[in-house]
């Protein structure tokens, strides 16, 4: 099931998308918070939109499917070729040649204020950065809460998957050592277009592509992840209770702007589109 959050007639609703007919079927009229829906869902409530009249997707405005209650958990350097391009770019503080791959995943976060929806404009923040870059990523949405989740149980805690663009100010990422300052700028986390429930996709084998103004920049498969989704959930939930609606961005493959010599940073007017098989496409312009 593809579950979206959208606005129609100035009302925010949740709905189930039927891509075959380009129609969205609204769920309950009073349900607009995806985290609430996920909580209901993991406690056994089944939802379906059958019988409710559909609305053409062209008549609604899609929003980010979820704005999490707390920071998005993110993973850095989780594809081998990207770890190499990042370490060699000069933008990784403390990079050591030959030690591009770490024995533990790099984990950082982005605040909920970074989240914007499909089609939203990402702000370039020229007063704060001159080096805005894109990162196409598969994101995991947590369902059942848990702490100290073993890898063998981890996928039971996954409610669904979506797409994020982990937009990054490379100069701030480098200058401030820790990554938060380069990752947390307002609008720096486009997300969507919807959440696909975990029963419909295998997160360990999804094609991921990113284009800038139609030019292919990133192309990979999530089977190339260095730390796979169960390992990430085990690592992040160690001593930290993951809750329904938490979001984990799993890292980006090679082909980001700093992978080029000289770097190809985004400029005002650029459009970045990320496509993940089985999920859909997330497109945003930058200005
Ligand atoms: Mg990233």
């Amino acid at each position: 099931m593809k579950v979206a959050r959208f606005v129609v007639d100035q009302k925010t609703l949740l709905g189930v998308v039927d891509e075959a007919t380009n129609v969205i079927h609204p769920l309950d009229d009073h349900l607009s918070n995806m985290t609430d829906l996920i909580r209901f869902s993991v406690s056994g409530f089944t939802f379906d939109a059958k019988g409710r009249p559909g609305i053409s997707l062209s008549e609604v405005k899609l929003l980010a499917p979820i704005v999490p209650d707390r920071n998005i958990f993110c993973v850095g350097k989780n594809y081998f070729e990207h770890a190499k391009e990042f370490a060699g770019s000069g933008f990784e503080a403390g990079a050591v040649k030959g030690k591009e791959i770490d024995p533990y995943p790099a984990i950082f976060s982005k605040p909920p204020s970074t989240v914007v929806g499909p089609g939203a404009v990402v702000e370039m923040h020229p007063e704060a950065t001159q080096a805005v870059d894109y990162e196409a990523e598969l994101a995991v949405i947590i369902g059942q809460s848990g702490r100290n989740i073993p890898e063998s149980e981890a996928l039971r805690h996954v409610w669904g998957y979506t797409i994020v663009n982990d937009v990054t100010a490379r100069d701030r990422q480098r200058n401030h050592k820790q990554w938060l300052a380069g990752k947390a700028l307002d609008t720096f986390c486009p997300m969507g277009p919807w959440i696909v429930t975990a029963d419909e996709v295998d997160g360990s084998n999804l094609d991921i592509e990113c284009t800038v103004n139609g030019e292919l920049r990133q192309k990979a498969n999530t089977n190339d992840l260095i730390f796979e989704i169960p390992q990430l959930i085990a690592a992040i939930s160690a001593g930290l209770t993951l809750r329904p609606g938490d979001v984990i961005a799993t890292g980006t493959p090679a082909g980001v702007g700093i992978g080029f010599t000289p770097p190809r940073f985004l400029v005002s007017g650029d459009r970045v589109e990320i496509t993940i098989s089985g999920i859909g496409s997330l497109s945003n312009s930058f200005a």
Side-chain angles (χ1 to χ4, degrees):
M1 203 163 349
K2 294 181 167 78
V3 192
R5 199 166 66 97
F6 66 99
V7 176
V8 67
D9 297 335
Q10 300 179 340
K11 216 172 164 198
T12 301
L13 297 171
L14 304 180
V16 176
V17 175
D18 180 355
E19 273 194 294
T21 55
N22 272 324
V23 159
I24 187 160
H25 297 273
L27 295 168
D28 189 284
D29 288 343
H30 304 288
L31 197 53
S32 62
N33 183 314
M34 188 70 76
T35 303
D36 289 342
L37 179 73
I38 295 171
R39 278 197 205 101
F40 293 147
S41 167
V42 297
S43 61
F45 168 78
T46 53
F47 57 95
D48 88 57
K50 284 199 197 90
R52 292 183 71 97
I55 307 169
S56 168
L57 270 177
S58 62
E59 287 173 35
V60 308
K61 179 180 184 232
L62 292 176
L63 303 175
I66 188 166
V67 178
D69 294 337
R70 58 178 174 174
N71 283 26
I72 297 159
F73 298 97
C74 303
V75 180
K77 299 170 62 176
N78 203 19
Y79 288 81
F80 183 65
E81 290 301 324
H82 171 68
K84 279 205 303 190
E85 75 177 352
F86 182 43
S89 72
F91 285 91
E92 183 184 5
V96 178
K97 196 162 170 49
K99 301 233 175 196
E100 290 86 357
I101 309 296
D102 301 310
Y104 298 95
I107 295 164
F108 62 96
S109 75
K110 292 168 93 80
S113 48
T114 57
V115 174
V116 292
V121 176
V122 179
E123 295 174 52
M124 307 279 300
H125 300 284
E127 71 293 350
T129 175
Q130 304 300 316
V132 177
D133 206 353
Y134 52 88
E135 295 193 350
E137 307 197 8
L138 173 69
V140 173
I141 312 295
I142 294 296
Q144 190 75 52
S145 66
R147 187 168 73 176
N148 303 320
I149 300 168
E151 287 178 29
S152 59
E153 299 283 315
L155 291 180
R156 288 197 205 174
H157 294 262
V158 176
W159 194 78
Y161 298 92
T162 190
I163 303 170
V164 302
N165 187 344
D166 174 19
V167 181
T168 305
R170 295 297 181 196
D171 40 7
R172 294 176 62 79
Q173 183 183 30
R174 176 195 60 207
N175 296 345
H176 293 268
K177 310 292 184 293
Q178 295 209 345
W179 295 3
L180 185 94
K183 299 281 193 176
L185 286 71
D186 293 350
T187 72
F188 265 28
C189 193
M191 184 191 295
W194 36 64
I195 297 171
V196 180
T197 49
D199 55 314
E200 288 195 1
V201 286
D202 173 6
S204 69
N205 182 22
L206 297 175
D207 293 321
I208 178 165
E209 279 189 9
C210 177
T211 63
V212 178
N213 304 325
E215 177 193 335
L216 184 65
R217 295 285 185 86
Q218 296 183 280
K219 183 176 171 61
N221 185 287
T222 56
N223 61 21
D224 294 330
L225 286 174
I226 297 169
F227 299 101
E228 296 171 356
I229 291 165
Q231 293 174 282
L232 298 177
I233 290 173
I236 293 169
S237 72
L240 181 159
T241 304
L242 284 173
R243 306 173 188 157
D246 277 337
V247 179
I248 301 173
T250 57
T252 200
V256 297
I258 49 162
F260 294 88
T261 309
R264 299 177 72 180
F265 295 121
L266 295 170
V267 297
S268 186
D270 281 349
R271 175 165 290 278
V272 178
E273 181 161 317
I274 302 167
T275 301
I276 298 184
S277 55
I279 300 179
S281 293
L282 172 69
S283 179
N284 296 85
S285 61
F286 285 67

